[in-house]
Amino acid sequence: PSDMSRSSSAGCLGRREEPRPRSVQLRSSRFGSTGWSTCGSTEKGWLPNDFHLKQLARAASEARLRAEEAEAKRKLSPEENPEHIDRLLSVFAFRGYIEGTEMRGITLKQLRQVVMFAKRRCHRWWDTSPPAYSKTAGQDLKASFLNLYHLNAWIIRPATKPKNCSMVEMLADSAQPP
């Protein structure tokens, strides 16, 4: 076959582009039915042929707003974040006051419950300690370096503050001698 029978438009990498069968062309109901452009004539690359700059600007604006909202939530301390407190209180509900500090021992099972909650949720938390006291100050927390200071900031204080109680009173129904 001669070169004249080939398509005259070169692809992005100088290769000949074969026309796609209609059933194989990519379609998107969100962007209309014209399909996706190639790097040929539209110079938009991955964008659909009928993608408007207004849609792009709106998507960028929405992404910026989501980022600002996430940053605003991040600036809240764990004790000020209502979503975090609601989640904590749904898992660790107040069960009643226990008289006598010596009767507020914690069992291994209860401690594991707190640790498992922390492991599942710590990727959403950050180290609230000042840089003078923590090497990981301001960093996102990971289960690999989670410690009691982090648990105190993210679980114990926020869970016990509303009822002014101990953490054991959020985990136990009655007195538990050590």
Side-chain angles (χ1 to χ4, degrees), residues 63-137:
R64 202 173 355 217
L65 284 173
R66 283 192 304 273
E68 288 171 4
E69 287 173 1
E71 187 61 31
K73 283 182 183 177
R74 188 171 175 89
K75 289 180 182 177
L76 291 176
S77 74
E79 295 177 45
E80 297 170 339
N81 187 333
E83 292 174 13
H84 176 66
I85 293 171
D86 290 344
R87 177 71 178 159
L88 269 175
L89 297 179
S90 71
V91 176
F92 303 110
F94 179 70
R95 299 189 180 199
Y97 293 107
I98 299 173
E99 290 297 322
T101 307
E102 68 279 2
M103 301 307 280
R104 296 184 199 139
I106 189 167
T107 66
L108 186 56
K109 182 179 177 182
Q110 292 165 338
L111 188 58
R112 284 185 178 144
Q113 179 185 0
V114 173
V115 170
M116 289 308 296
F117 176 82
K119 282 183 177 180
R120 284 193 309 269
R121 306 285 298 178
C122 71
H123 66 280
R124 301 167 192 247
W125 305 339
W126 63 94
D127 189 349
T128 60
S129 302
Y133 295 106
S134 177
K135 294 178 186 176
T136 59

Side-chain angles (χ1 to χ4, degrees), residues 13 74 112 169 171:
L13 300 175
R74 188 171 175 89
R112 284 185 178 144
E169 292 168 325
L171 300 166

